Amino acid sequence: MPEESLYRNLISRVNLGDLLIRSAARAPGRLAIVDADRRLTYREFNEWVNRTAHGLTGLGYRRGDALGLMTANNAEFIVTYFACAKLGLVCVPINLFWRYGELAYVLNHAAVKGVVVESALIEQLEGALGDTAGVKDVVVIGDVGDTAIADRRTVTFDALQKGMPQHEPAAFVTDRDPISYLYTSGTTSAPKGVVSSHLAVYLESLGVALDTRMTADDRVTALMPLFHTAQLNVIVTPAIAVGAAIFIQRGFDADRLLTLIESEHLTLTFALPMMYRAMLEQLDQHDRDVSSMRLAIYAMAPMPTHELQNAIARFGCEFALMFGQTEMNPLAVYFRPEHQLSHPGAVGTPSANVEVAIMDEAGRFLPQGQSGEIVYRSPQVMSGYLHDPAATAAAFVHGWFHSGDSGHFDRDGILWFEDRFKDVIKSGGENVASIEVEKALYAADPGVQETAVIGLPHDRWGEAVTALVILKAGHTIDEETLLRKVRSHLSPFKCPKRIIFTETMPKTATGKIQKAKLRAELVGIYRT
């Protein structure tokens, strides 16, 4: 490649790795990453990324090569992701809940050339490597001994970057080059590979920083799985864009997180509603100083109004909901703090870089108050589905990205999510939004810890509205009493035909209840 072309690219390109370069230049001594007892400044973090990038170049990796990333939350995950960005490699985060079949499918589908893997997960990876001839390299985070893994070229992460230069790697990377292939959960079919460009994630990161008013003074958590875009691109990349400090956690523990907030004066958290409930229970038992908090972000599920009011009062900070999907990288709609209690149950207003509309099946826009499909336009939307032009074309029909979600705008211009189209229950000729029934269950009794509402085959109703409920510890209520309470909140045709009490429900790695699995497990309960 002519030097002039490379230089011009380096001058004006949009590359996610440049977010780190610029933050390190602005404040090299500022705290960047805390991972257990490791504390890295932005200079140290950027130099580590550069050494890793040069190490990957030494192994023969070039622009467009796909690199799998299979590890629990740690600094090496973020280092690898940004090393990929600087080189123009495609990072393929691996969902740690995948078993051999799913893992082998993704490694083959993405044409992964090598995998960076945590030593504790080697056995899980080895089970898939027998069916993935394209994987040539294994880079191990931790100790691996002298044995090659599945006859692949094997090197430790430390050895990969040891002695490598710390200067910036000069690589030609275009704005629309992919930074990642993010695979959807694939609960009902093979996972889809969402192709995300540098431009899309770069702009999404800056948009989140604008919406949340994130600054270099923030100290944020990274406790949700980093392999999921919600943690990676809602918190980590925006934090690096503004030069904030990131505190990495390996999983959630309410007491440990509250201790961290108190000791490190954290200002921003991102967690699931159930996690905030657990923290509130801990605070009731042992008071902590959480006065440093300014914003608590939640996602995946709504918070009942009474719980939200309690959380706002107890934490003494603002709460906000993030709404979106992997194809939007992921933030599309932001339920702002000022709307939390004035419009309970809504999902918010469009985020900084996103245009949102409601569309019918014929591609016509619908006015406020009418329900239809939520559609988006944005430079942060995915480039497409990997190796799936038909699904890509269907997602972009009529010139908008189709979310697969149903909803409507109210007269204040605030978006209300009604349901995933596949989760709308057709009962007795009527459409029932499962989320509306779930909200009614939360409102009916404070002892409801968690609920999922699904439609199950029924000879009379077509689909019967069925609720699964997990109760809070120590709380008891019978099915008929809870049903009676729910009936005061819902029209009769929306009320559950049955409530099934349970202790657990299948979930994705990010805590989303897998309704497809529930439907499969309970498909015959009305036919016995």
Side-chain angles (χ1 to χ4, degrees):
M1 176 183 297
E3 283 192 351
E4 181 181 354
S5 296
L6 174 60
Y7 292 159
R8 289 181 64 85
N9 174 260
L10 292 172
I11 290 168
S12 62
R13 72 181 184 179
V14 177
N15 184 293
L16 197 70
D18 294 340
L19 294 178
L20 173 57
I21 294 171
R22 291 159 189 167
S23 289
R26 285 195 306 273
R30 186 181 290 274
L31 182 65
I33 301 286
V34 177
D35 179 10
D37 58 354
R38 298 186 291 181
R39 303 176 77 90
L40 303 170
T41 66
Y42 267 92
R43 177 193 289 114
E44 291 167 336
F45 174 35
N46 190 50
E47 289 174 349
W48 190 9
V49 169
N50 291 344
R51 291 194 304 272
T52 303
H54 286 295
L56 290 169
T57 299
L59 289 181
Y61 285 79
R62 300 291 184 268
R63 174 191 174 199
D65 288 340
L67 183 68
L69 182 51
M70 186 175 178
T71 177
N73 287 9
N74 53 33
E76 285 84 356
F77 188 111
I78 305 175
V79 167
T80 302
Y81 183 68
F82 275 86
C84 286
K86 290 187 178 187
L87 292 178
L89 307 183
V90 186
C91 185
V92 185
I94 301 299
N95 186 321
L96 302 187
F97 286 78
W98 287 338
R99 297 299 93 187
Y100 303 143
E102 290 171 303
L103 180 53
Y105 173 85
V106 168
L107 295 176
N108 284 318
H109 189 261
V112 167
K113 182 177 177 179
V115 180
V116 176
V117 60
E118 186 176 3
S119 58
L121 301 171
I122 288 174
E123 183 178 350
Q124 185 176 343
L125 174 63
E126 282 185 306
L129 287 180
D131 296 320
T132 51
V135 177
K136 306 300 182 185
D137 302 300
V138 178
V139 179
V140 180
I141 300 169
D143 185 24
V144 69
D146 299 324
T147 305
I149 296 172
D151 296 324
R152 268 57 170 195
R153 178 170 58 176
T154 302
V155 62
T156 66
F157 198 87
D158 287 342
L160 174 74
Q161 49 89 44
K162 185 177 181 180
M164 289 293 168
Q166 298 180 161
H167 62 74
E168 297 296 336
F172 183 92
V173 185
T174 71
D175 303 349
R176 299 288 181 175
D177 276 358
I179 171 58
S180 61
Y181 300 149
L182 295 170
Y183 279 79
T184 57
S185 57
T187 55
T188 58
S189 62
K192 287 189 176 73
V194 174
V195 182
S196 301
S197 72
H198 283 265
L199 178 66
V201 181
Y202 193 107
L203 290 177
E204 191 272 349
S205 301
L206 296 182
V208 170
L210 284 173
D211 282 327
T212 61
R213 305 186 305 281
M214 195 182 292
T215 73
D217 293 327
D218 274 310
R219 299 164 74 83
V220 311
T221 56
L223 65 92
M224 299 290 288
L226 282 166
F227 60 72
H228 193 278
T229 182
Q231 179 65 78
L232 185 60
N233 300 134
V234 164
I235 300 298
V236 170
T237 54
I240 289 171
V242 300
I246 301 166
F247 291 77
I248 298 172
Q249 296 285 286
R250 292 175 69 94
F252 170 72
D253 178 271
D255 184 65
R256 185 179 68 216
L257 181 55
L258 289 167
T259 299
L260 188 68
I261 292 172
E262 184 176 44
S263 63
E264 294 285 3
H265 309 293
L266 300 191
T267 63
L268 188 152
T269 57
F270 171 54
L272 302 179
M274 58 179 288
M275 296 175 179
Y276 288 112
R277 292 184 201 120
M279 286 191 281
L280 288 170
E281 291 172 1
Q282 281 290 323
L283 286 172
D284 288 341
Q285 298 174 26
H286 306 288
D287 193 31
R288 300 292 180 84
D289 181 3
V290 293
S291 60
S292 61
M293 286 286 296
R294 70 166 188 86
L295 180 64
I297 297 171
Y298 62 103
M300 309 301 174
M303 289 184 70
T305 301
H306 67 278
E307 286 190 358
L308 188 58
Q309 290 173 323
N310 184 30
I312 292 171
R314 190 65 187 84
F315 280 95
C317 71
E318 295 182 324
F319 273 67
L321 168 71
M322 297 290 196
F323 180 80
Q325 58 195 101
T326 303
E327 291 88 341
M328 293 298 295
N329 288 298
L331 181 63
V333 178
Y334 185 51
F335 192 23
R336 303 171 195 282
E338 60 268 28
H339 296 145
Q340 292 286 308
L341 298 179
S342 65
H343 294 73
V347 294
T349 53
S351 58
N353 295 319
V354 181
E355 183 180 357
V356 185
I358 304 297
M359 186 177 283
D360 69 11
E361 292 180 357
R364 295 183 293 256
F365 296 114
L366 299 175
Q368 287 181 349
Q370 286 195 24
S371 298
E373 185 175 14
I374 302 169
V375 294
Y376 303 119
R377 276 180 174 166
S378 173
Q380 64 187 58
V381 73
M382 68 170 184
S383 303
Y385 293 113
L386 186 65
H387 309 317
D388 198 339
T392 301
F396 292 143
V397 71
H398 304 306
W400 290 71
F401 171 70
H402 290 254
S403 69
D405 296 332
S406 62
H408 69 275
F409 279 104
D410 66 16
R411 63 184 179 182
D412 296 321
I414 295 177
L415 181 67
W416 292 73
F417 167 75
E418 294 170 358
D419 220 332
R420 292 290 296 170
F421 278 132
K422 64 184 179 182
D423 289 334
V424 171
I425 302 166
K426 299 184 184 298
S427 183
E430 300 284 351
N431 289 341
V432 179
S434 63
I435 192 171
E436 182 181 2
V437 185
E438 289 163 1
K439 289 177 181 178
L441 282 157
Y442 283 123
D445 192 282
V448 175
Q449 173 78 23
E450 198 165 19
T451 184
V453 172
I454 58 176
L456 294 173
H458 193 283
D459 291 339
R460 178 180 177 185
W461 302 106
E463 288 186 311
V465 180
T466 308
L468 289 93
V469 169
I470 297 174
L471 295 176
K472 293 179 180 177
H475 188 86
T476 59
I477 188 171
D478 61 73
E479 180 182 9
E480 186 52 44
T481 302
L482 184 53
L483 279 171
R484 186 170 62 251
K485 290 184 174 184
V486 171
R487 290 183 186 116
S488 67
H489 294 268
L490 290 173
S491 301
F493 73 90
K494 297 179 181 179
C495 290
K497 298 296 186 288
R498 283 185 61 177
I499 294 177
I500 300 169
F501 295 103
T502 182
E503 295 183 356
T504 61
M505 285 187 270
K507 295 181 180 180
T508 66
T510 54
K512 187 180 297 184
I513 296 171
Q514 295 177 301
K515 291 187 176 181
K517 287 189 175 182
L518 290 175
R519 285 191 287 265
E521 292 170 0
L522 299 171
V523 66
I525 69 166
Y526 292 103
R527 294 175 177 171
T528 57

